């Protein structure tokens, strides 16, 4: 079935997006078998990848569906966590929530965060269907949401244009746009601009993000701040982390958390850690906690730690808080949803994704735990948040230019900070203050969306 659209109406979409749209549909249908095969291959390591497979095609939702709900789309873990305060605010108003994801880990994070609301049938989780006309049409006909809030960078043409045609209010919330992504959109000319203009509003994280959307001639762009500053950390996990921290402090040891590391970064960090320990510059020797960004890489990180010859254990080896953590050189954080615990146990964070050109990961949660941060040179995905953290004294950027060697630069930065506990304490205070200073995005998003839909 090919969905009938008005994409030729240049007054709405600009230019000639009809050609691009049908070309896009052909490509989507062509790659569909490959997407399904990819899920099957991933299922060799985790059968859960095949759960709810029909939902990805617009089927299999069961008898109970949340119609007339506020629809929040959060592709994976980070977006789901960012949406937490917003979802809780709508639930408190009495709205029901339809929460969609693209990844298994995003769905798991949502189940963990909103378990009570799911049990009470106030929130329903499903996978967002693949962006095909027929799967999108079926999805929208079944759920009939009253409002859509897409998190950060999610702009699927079929869904966005169809919601526009149906008059379903759709907003891009906590929106961010790197210069690289903006240039990519410009290459599509009017079709790229039409996609973002089809939203009822772009609610951007920062002035930089808002200006990039406006540079594409997109209207209805507002700067509202970053929802990640409004995230509430699990008190139980924070308390567990503090217990770890006290146990290490009793031994006089510091802990460094390498958080959300990406492919290639673990090896770099482990090389730097070996050099640091062999230098005996910091005594007693600190402990390193490595937490890979993606669970499928836990085993890869474990092999790298083993090959480096460190005394280590996996977090999953303990059911409760470890009692002998102080005897380790490295801890592998192979658990989901426990980042507040790792941050609260640590004295310093190395932010993954920033040492190699991945664009960096979110440093706000580390700062909220009162943990200072070391970042590399690649932070373009969180540009403003990183710049603000650096300016406030909550973070330090590793100076790779002097060494022209990432591992060597990391060793120097670690030696400098870990040998100066007073500086770490000052940075920790700055980190807490920074995380509080920029709160309030949730209220601004609610107010703007209410205004635009006339609620």
């Amino acid at each position: 079935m090919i969905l009938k659209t008005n994409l030729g109406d240049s007054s709405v979409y600009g230019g000639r997006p009809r050609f691009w749209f049908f070309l896009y549909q052909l490509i989507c249908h062509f790659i569909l078998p490959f997407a399904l095969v990819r899920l099957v291959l991933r299922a060799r390591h985790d059968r859960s990848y095949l759960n709810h497979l029909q939902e990805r095609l617009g089927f299999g939702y069961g008898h109970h569906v949340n119609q007339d709900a506020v629809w929040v789309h959060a592709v994976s873990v980070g977006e789901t966590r960012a949406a937490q305060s917003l979802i809780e605010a709508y639930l408190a108003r009495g709205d029901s929530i339809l929460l969609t994801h693209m990844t298994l880990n995003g769905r798991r994070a949502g189940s963990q965060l909103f378990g009570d609301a799911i049990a009470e049938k106030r929130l329903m989780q499903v996978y967002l269907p693949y962006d095909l006309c027929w799967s999108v049409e079926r999805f929208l006909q079944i759920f009939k949401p009253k409002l859509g809030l897409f998190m950060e960078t999610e702009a699927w043409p079929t869904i966005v244009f169809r919601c526009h045609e149906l008059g379903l209010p759709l907003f891009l919330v906590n929106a961010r746009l790197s210069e690289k992504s903006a240039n990519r959109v410009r290459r599509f000319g009017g079709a790229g601009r039409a996609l973002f203009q089809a939203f009822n509003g772009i609610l951007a994280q920062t002035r930089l993000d808002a200006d990039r959307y406006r540079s594409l001639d997109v209207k209805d762009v507002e700067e509202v701040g970053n929802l990640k500053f409004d995230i509430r950390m699990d008190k139980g996990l924070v308390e567990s982390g503090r217990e770890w921290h006290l146990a290490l402090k009793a031994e006089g040891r510091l802990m460094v958390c390498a958080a959300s590391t990406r492919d290639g970064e673990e090896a770099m960090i482990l090389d730097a850690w070996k050099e640091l320990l062999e230098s005996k510059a910091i005594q007693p020797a600190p402990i390193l906690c490595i937490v890979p960004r993606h669970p499928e890489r836990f085993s890869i990180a474990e092999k790298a730690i083993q090959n480096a010859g460190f005394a280590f254990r996996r977090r999953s080896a303990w059911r409760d808080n470890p009692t002998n953590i102080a005897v380790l050189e490295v801890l592998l954080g192979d658990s989901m949803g426990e980042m507040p615990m790792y941050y609260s146990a640590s004295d310093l964070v190395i932010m993954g994704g920033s040492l190699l050109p991945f664009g960096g990961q979110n440093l706000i949660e580390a700062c909220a735990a009162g943990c200072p941060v070391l970042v590399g040179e690649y932070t373009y995905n969180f540009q403003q948040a990183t710049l603000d953290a650096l300016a406030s004294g909550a973070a330090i950027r590793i100076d790779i230019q002097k060494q022209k060697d990432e591992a060597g630069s990391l060793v120097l930065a670690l030696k400098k900070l870990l040998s100066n506990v007073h500086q770490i304490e000052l940075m920790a205070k700055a980190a807490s203050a920074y995380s509080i200073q920029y709160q309030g995005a949730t209220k601004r998003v609610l107010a703007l969306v209410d205004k635009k839909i006339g609620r």
Side-chain angles (χ1 to χ4, degrees):
M1 173 178 115
I2 297 297
L3 185 66
K4 294 181 180 179
T5 68
N6 296 319
L7 294 180
D9 183 354
S10 61
S11 65
V12 175
Y13 297 105
R16 292 177 55 200
R18 180 187 292 273
F19 167 76
W20 290 112
F21 180 77
F22 285 107
L23 178 61
Y24 170 75
Q25 281 295 304
L26 287 173
I27 293 172
C28 287
H29 281 82
F30 176 77
I31 66 175
L32 175 62
F34 298 97
L36 296 174
V37 168
R38 185 167 179 262
L39 287 175
V40 171
L41 292 175
R42 286 191 164 192
R44 294 182 302 173
H45 305 288
D46 188 338
R47 295 285 300 174
S48 298
Y49 278 100
L50 296 182
N51 293 348
H52 313 289
L53 185 59
Q54 289 176 303
E55 292 177 2
R56 298 182 183 274
L57 301 174
F59 296 89
Y61 301 114
H63 298 295
H64 172 79
V65 297
N66 284 10
Q67 290 189 337
D68 198 37
V70 175
W71 169 26
V72 179
H73 176 57
V75 60
S76 194
V77 177
E79 293 83 0
T80 304
R81 291 281 288 134
Q84 180 181 359
S85 61
L86 198 57
I87 290 172
E88 289 174 347
Y90 277 109
L91 288 171
R93 288 180 166 193
D95 289 301
S96 60
I97 300 292
L98 172 63
L99 178 58
T100 58
H101 309 279
M102 290 294 288
T103 71
L104 172 61
N105 292 327
R107 188 164 185 149
R108 284 172 170 168
S111 298
Q112 192 174 43
L113 289 172
F114 308 112
D116 290 343
I118 293 170
E120 295 164 1
K121 299 188 184 304
R122 294 187 298 138
L123 185 148
M124 182 176 184
Q125 277 185 294
V126 300
Y127 284 118
L128 188 75
Y130 291 132
D131 205 40
L132 308 165
C133 285
W134 48 272
S135 61
V136 167
E137 186 74 357
R138 182 173 174 81
F139 171 85
L140 293 174
Q141 286 177 354
I142 289 173
F143 287 102
K144 297 181 172 62
K146 64 180 178 182
L147 168 67
L149 305 172
F150 277 29
M151 296 296 296
E152 300 200 3
T153 60
E154 292 293 286
W156 295 96
T158 308
I159 291 175
V160 174
F161 286 140
R162 187 56 178 150
C163 287
H164 184 94
E165 290 175 334
L166 293 172
L168 168 61
L170 188 65
F171 297 85
L172 190 59
V173 176
N174 218 41
R176 57 185 173 89
L177 188 68
S178 68
E179 191 59 42
K180 182 178 179 181
S181 296
N183 289 333
R184 191 180 301 124
V185 174
R186 288 188 187 97
R187 287 200 291 269
F188 288 93
R193 181 174 62 254
L195 175 60
F196 290 107
Q197 194 58 51
F199 282 97
N200 290 70
I202 307 287
L203 308 185
Q205 293 183 15
T206 70
R207 178 184 56 79
L208 289 172
D209 295 305
D211 287 347
R212 290 188 187 114
Y213 282 109
R214 292 183 184 119
S215 74
L216 302 173
D217 293 328
V218 177
K219 297 177 176 59
D220 297 318
V221 179
E222 301 278 357
E223 176 192 348
V224 296
N226 194 330
L227 287 169
K228 291 178 179 178
F229 284 102
D230 293 347
I231 291 174
R232 293 183 301 102
M233 291 192 294
D234 185 284
K235 292 181 180 179
L237 291 174
V238 170
E239 186 58 34
S240 294
R242 287 174 178 166
E243 289 178 14
W244 289 23
H245 190 262
L246 288 174
L248 288 167
K249 192 174 182 180
E251 301 288 332
R253 299 185 71 188
L254 300 172
M255 179 159 138
V256 176
C257 179
S260 298
T261 54
R262 306 287 292 273
D263 188 25
E265 291 185 323
E266 291 94 358
M268 181 190 305
I269 293 167
L270 290 169
D271 286 344
W273 200 251
K274 181 176 283 291
E275 185 177 338
L276 178 70
L277 295 188
E278 288 177 349
S279 73
K280 300 188 184 299
I282 312 298
Q283 293 297 325
I287 182 172
L288 173 67
C289 175
I290 293 184
V291 188
R293 173 68 175 167
H294 299 113
E296 54 265 30
R297 300 193 59 258
F298 289 159
S299 297
I300 296 172
E302 180 181 27
K303 288 180 181 178
I305 297 169
Q306 286 177 327
N307 292 338
F310 289 111
F312 87 101
R313 287 192 73 177
R314 295 178 69 136
R315 159 62 179 151
S316 59
W318 288 291
R319 289 188 177 181
D320 300 311
N321 289 345
T323 56
N324 58 343
I325 188 173
V327 304
L328 302 179
E329 294 174 312
V330 176
L331 172 69
L332 175 59
D334 62 336
S335 58
M336 290 293 296
E338 291 192 326
M339 284 311 304
M341 180 177 65
Y342 297 127
Y343 287 143
S344 299
S346 301
D347 299 278
L348 180 67
V349 167
I350 302 168
M351 188 48 59
S354 70
L355 302 178
L356 292 175
F358 294 106
Q361 299 297 152
N362 173 32
L363 51 70
I364 296 170
E365 193 170 25
C367 291
C371 206
V373 180
L374 273 176
V375 296
E377 62 177 311
Y378 304 103
T379 55
Y380 48 82
N381 284 336
F382 298 89
Q383 183 178 0
Q384 191 62 57
T386 303
L387 291 174
D388 291 339
L390 291 168
S392 70
I396 291 178
R397 195 182 294 278
I398 300 165
D399 191 350
I400 294 175
Q401 297 304 316
K402 283 186 179 179
Q403 286 290 111
K404 300 189 184 301
D405 168 41
E406 289 88 346
S409 302
L410 182 55
V411 171
L412 286 179
L414 288 170
K415 284 182 180 178
K416 183 176 180 180
L417 277 176
L418 296 179
S419 61
N420 190 342
V421 176
H422 179 63
Q423 184 180 1
I424 289 178
E425 290 173 350
L426 290 176
M427 289 182 67
K429 291 178 182 178
S432 295
Y434 158 79
S435 69
I436 294 170
Q437 179 182 356
Y438 293 97
Q439 291 177 355
T442 303
K443 290 182 180 179
R444 290 188 286 274
V445 169
L446 287 170
L448 276 168
V449 171
D450 284 351
K451 180 180 178 181
K452 287 180 179 291
I453 66 174
R455 179 167 176 168

